[in-house]
Amino acid sequence: MNREIRAYDYVNHRYALVRDILSADPEGVLRAATMAATSRAQAVAAKLRVDVGGLQVGAEIAPSIGEIEESGSGNNDLVTRIPIAWGAAHQARLFPFMSAVLSIYPLTATETQLDFQGTYEPPLGLVGAAIDSMLGHRIAEASVHTFIADVAQYLRTELA
C-alpha cells in the first residue's frame, strides 16, 4: 500500500536562478542541503532526519534523479520537474522507499516555490503498514518536511 506525501517551501530568489542551480546538479544540491543541515559534508549518502519525542531518528539515503523536465513559456506557467527516488543506503528493507517529483515554479518575480509530491511504500508488509498507520506516516511526513526545508535553506544561502 503506497502512501502519499507532500511538502513545500519557497526560496526568495528568481525562478531562473533556482532552476539553474537545481538542474545543473540536482543530486549534488540535495546531498549538500541534507549534509549541511546535519554537518556531515564528508558523507557519501544524504541523511534524512526527524525528531520523534526528543529522539532524533535518521537514515542514510541513496537518492536517484530521473530526467528533468521543464514546461511552460510564460512566467505564470513555468515549471521544472525533477523526479527523485530514494531508499535507505543500509538495511533498505527496514525503511520506506520514496518516489517523488520536486516541482519548481515562480511564485512572484523574486520568489520560487519548491513543491515535493510523492508516494512511499512502508516496509515489512502488513507489520510495516500497521506501524505506518500508528507512527510511521508522521515520521515520513516530518522527514520530508525537514528535507524540503533543508533544500530551501541551502538554496537561500547559496544564492545570497
Side-chain angles (χ1 to χ4, degrees):
M1 172 182 95
N2 285 341
R3 298 283 306 255
E4 290 188 23
I5 197 159
R6 185 169 187 193
Y8 57 90
D9 205 329
Y10 79 96
V11 180
N12 56 342
H13 291 282
R14 292 183 304 115
Y15 163 78
L17 292 172
V18 174
R19 177 206 57 212
D20 290 350
I21 286 178
L22 276 167
S23 295
D25 183 14
E27 189 172 340
V29 169
L30 301 180
R31 200 174 296 283
T34 56
M35 289 303 101
T38 58
S39 301
R40 297 188 53 202
Q42 301 302 317
V44 174
K47 183 172 184 170
L48 286 181
R49 60 181 170 64
V50 65
D51 288 326
V52 179
L55 176 67
Q56 190 167 96
V57 177
E60 301 292 325
I61 61 167
S64 66
I65 307 297
E67 187 173 328
I68 299 170
E69 298 177 6
E70 186 173 20
S71 62
S73 57
N75 201 28
N76 292 333
D77 61 351
L78 285 173
V79 63
T80 299
R81 291 178 184 86
I82 304 172
I84 303 170
W86 71 68
H90 308 286
Q91 299 177 331
R93 70 184 184 285
L94 298 177
F95 295 93
F97 178 81
M98 176 70 69
S99 178
V101 173
L102 177 60
S103 297
I104 307 150
Y105 52 88
L107 286 174
T108 68
T110 60
E111 292 181 315
T112 302
Q113 181 87 16
L114 304 178
D115 190 346
F116 180 98
Q117 191 165 5
T119 60
Y120 70 94
E121 184 175 337
L124 306 174
L126 293 175
V127 172
I131 293 169
D132 185 68
S133 67
M134 291 184 295
L135 179 65
H137 189 68
R138 289 192 301 255
I139 293 171
E141 282 183 338
S143 66
V144 168
H145 284 279
T146 299
F147 169 75
I148 272 301
D150 291 347
V151 171
Q153 183 58 42
Y154 175 82
L155 290 166
R156 286 184 204 112
T157 302
E158 287 298 303
L159 291 169

